[in-house]
Amino acid sequence: MFQNTINELGELALGSRLKRLSDYIYREGKEFYQLNEINFEPRWFPVFYLLAKGGTLSVVEIADRIGVSHAAVSQTTKELVKYQLVVSLDHKTDKRKRELRLSDQGRELLMKMEPLWNDIAAALNNMIRQHTHHLMAAIQEVENAFDSYGFVDRVSKIKNERLQREVKIIDYKPEYDSYFKNLNIEWLEKYFHVEEYDKKVLNNPLEHIINKGGDILFAEFEGEIVGTCALLKYNDDDYELTKMAVTGKVQGKQVGKKLGLSIIERARQMKAKKLVLESNKILIPALTLYERLGFKYAYKDFSTSAYQRANVYMEMAL
Amino acid sequence: MFQNTINELGELALGSRLKRLSDYIYREGKEFYQLNEINFEPRWFPVFYLLAKGGTLSVVEIADRIGVSHAAVSQTTKELVKYQLVVSLDHKTDKRKRELRLSDQGRELLMKMEPLWNDIAAALNNMIRQHTHHLMAAIQEVENAFDSYGFVDRVSKIKNERLQREVKIIDYKPEYDSYFKNLNIEWLEKYFHVEEYDKKVLNNPLEHIINKGGDILFAEFEGEIVGTCALLKYNDDDYELTKMAVTGKVQGKQVGKKLGLSIIERARQMKAKKLVLESNKILIPALTLYERLGFKYAYKDFSTSAYQRANVYMEMAL
DNA sequence: ATAATTTATGTAAGTACTTACCTATATTTA
DNA sequence: TAAATATAGGTAAGTACTTACATAAATTAT
């Protein structure tokens, strides 16, 4: 009955599991009453019990005490009155209120049920007590926890913490110019050297890229700019992916991939038809990324290239 | 929200409490999806998750795996198909079956939801882990326990054990004559002595009580006769409560009270109008019981009494 | 090969709650 | 004292399941 893969989902299926267990207990409870020839619905229990112990109560008082909506109590008491287990009298002074209490018939039924309730409580208590994890105590703790700090708040907090840990792609702002320059110089100096054309672009990206109809994106992680990538406009159809740089400090965060996907998306938004790039054979990880992004190797006469280090040419149709 | 008197009911209100917690989680789950602008109902989760992981499944396969009825899965998948998150294809060979799997739209939604699911699982896990009683483990244990030995069986067993421990009132049978005699002689010899009239009645209760329109009841405890009480008929209206005797071996089981209540009930059934008894001032506990049962002290001329030991007379109207 | 049974699925109605909306009073505020 | 607000309670419809019953197709027994 309860042995199946929903259990593997753990906390995720907590709601479904609680419902399944609750439904089971209601069903079996009903069967137990029937077996003992008692005309009583398990759903009546909280209201009936409260009236048995608490004397006279109003609808809202009951609802507050058992932690359900007044509508639920209204419906339950309607049934209890119909089956003559509860009597409902108008409040003496407050005409909105009703005074609910057990009828003589209700008291009679109570006498018959009380020993059975003791049996139910004993059986469940026996079972729960034997286990290493106490269900009643666990429910109490979880209820208390949710009372002080709700489900949505808890999950939202975790989500926001995750987003903090995640790489965000953000738009170009002139104040990021120094990051654009330094991130690119970092890797250029590691593998090659900074060419004159690089210097020109890196020193004034606004003039050489943005104002020419291109764009620049940055990757932010934990409040710091950790990567960048630019889109250089050739003409309305053709753009170059260029100046992609990620600091060596972040590893395994897929920063390059996210920048690449974002810049391609940006190119599409700009109605680009074709995206090209130039690179170098020794930059194996970069070339692998370009392939994954959808770029294909193509031929080019590198004598016309803006970069001396270029010996690989790739393009992709958008 | 969760702080109220339902908690005091303990195991008895377990079903209601599980439902309340389950409802809360569904509501909050729904709110979290909405907050993240995701069109997804918490009730879809188990089916959707299974299809996300398990590829292609039929309605019954899903129902078995998540432990709900096939009807529930049928309804859920209908909705999922309606919202185009799942595609349903006829089985190639078995014309009864449907093959369900995520649609492209479903896969797309899955990508958006997976990180949120991780957040939910992490938040709940965080919360539960901090407590001394682990809710998930407790649920698992209770489910396992119910799987091997159902709720109704457990409670019925406890109930039967209680009934075994309880005093039962049973009707007269001639084979109980020796108990009737010995139980009465036991107490008569302790406080007084056995009178001639006692001997006559105790040696032949069938003739002197039953056949004269009276009755005798016995109390049984753990398979043994531990008490008795008789109803002697004077005339159609008047009866005497007599020969009440309880063995000293049973204490605190309310045997006398149960016998008394039963014999009064029996007298009512026989359309008696008045019940009388004779006793002795030194039998304080007995007199207290008679008062509790509703007998009132009255005057009598004891020179006409059948018993030498009688110096107290009581009666009650029925 | 036919009949009986089992399996796969769907639909309708029931259950134990909810939310949303309504009216009728009572209480507080201006 | 009138207007605004709060409280008490009801009804309708929704939710996430259930059971009961239905049909159609597949499998097993005779």
Side-chain angles (χ1 to χ4, degrees), chain B residues 135-152:
Chain B
L135 182 61
M136 298 314 293
I139 291 175
Q140 185 69 58
E141 285 180 338
V142 167
E143 286 178 349
N144 290 347
F146 279 140
D147 259 336
S148 61
Y149 193 19
F151 177 98
V152 166

Side-chain angles (χ1 to χ4, degrees), chain B residues 153-166:
Chain B
D153 293 335
R154 299 183 107 92
V155 179
S156 297
K157 183 171 169 248
I158 295 283
K159 183 197 150 202
N160 291 333
E161 284 169 5
R162 169 172 61 81
L163 290 181
Q164 283 302 313
R165 286 194 309 272
E166 264 183 9

Side-chain angles (χ1 to χ4, degrees), chain B residues 26 43 69 71-72 75 93-96:
Chain B
Y26 273 108
R43 67 172 173 283
S69 66
Q75 288 159 18
T93 53
D94 191 334
K95 287 185 182 171
R96 297 167 308 176

Side-chain angles (χ1 to χ4, degrees), chain A residues 5-16:
Chain A
T5 43
I6 204 179
N7 300 5
E8 293 158 22
L9 310 191
E11 288 84 1
L12 270 179
L14 180 57
S16 301

